[in-house]
Amino acid sequence: MKFPSLVKKQFCKTPVEVTIYGEGVTEDGAPLTVFECKNLYPSDSLYPSATLHGGSALCNMQSKAKTVYTKEQKIVQVSAVLLFDGDIAPDSPTLSGGFVILDGVKRSIVQGTKHRNPDGTVNFTELDVI
């Protein structure tokens, strides 16, 4: 049975660069990158890679902002929910962290969710960023 897509590609228009970290660290102690989707610049490696995908991904973005008052200053905190059609990182079973570059601003991934169909396939991916 074919399940309907809940996040349509035609509504995913916001370009975003995504880097997702896996569980664990590399030999150098850096986070283990399991998925990377970013624009390739001439200084970047042009070798084929299992984790690097050229170009930006397209998503449906819903953002919100709130004002946080501290004793010293007033801070505006912006957070967003990014929705992707299908599984953005099929080789990674979990989305444990990373960052996105959205409108030229680097934001941290707080939570990632793979929303599944009853048969176990991924219908859409959700990234919460702050």
Side-chain angles (χ1 to χ4, degrees):
M1 177 177 183
K2 176 82 171 141
F3 294 98
S5 175
L6 298 177
V7 177
K8 304 279 186 197
K9 283 189 181 190
Q10 64 195 20
F11 301 123
C12 295
K13 304 235 182 238
T14 306
V16 61
E17 296 182 16
V18 181
T19 301
I20 296 176
Y21 299 140
E23 298 174 11
V25 293
T26 63
E27 298 170 350
D28 302 331
L32 185 65
T33 303
V34 294
F35 178 79
E36 199 169 17
C37 181
K38 65 179 188 174
N39 290 324
L40 295 175
Y41 300 105
S43 62
D44 288 336
S45 170
L46 298 177
Y47 297 112
S49 170
T51 61
L52 178 63
H53 300 276
S56 341
L58 295 175
C59 70
N60 183 322
M61 178 187 75
Q62 305 298 320
S63 62
K64 59 185 173 181
K66 69 178 178 179
T67 305
V68 178
Y69 293 98
T70 64
K71 289 182 179 180
E72 295 82 27
Q73 61 186 353
K74 176 175 84 169
I75 301 170
V76 177
Q77 186 179 35
V78 179
S79 61
V81 175
L82 309 178
L83 302 173
F84 298 89
D85 181 35
D87 193 356
I88 190 171
D91 294 336
S92 176
T94 60
L95 305 173
S96 61
F99 65 90
V100 298
I101 298 177
L102 189 61
D103 297 329
V105 178
K106 185 176 179 179
R107 302 189 185 278
S108 298
I109 296 174
V110 177
Q111 178 177 334
T113 309
K114 293 185 178 189
H115 295 273
R116 299 189 181 274
N117 294 320
D119 66 352
T121 59
V122 176
N123 193 306
F124 67 97
T125 305
E126 175 184 344
L127 296 178
D128 297 335
V129 299
I130 195 164

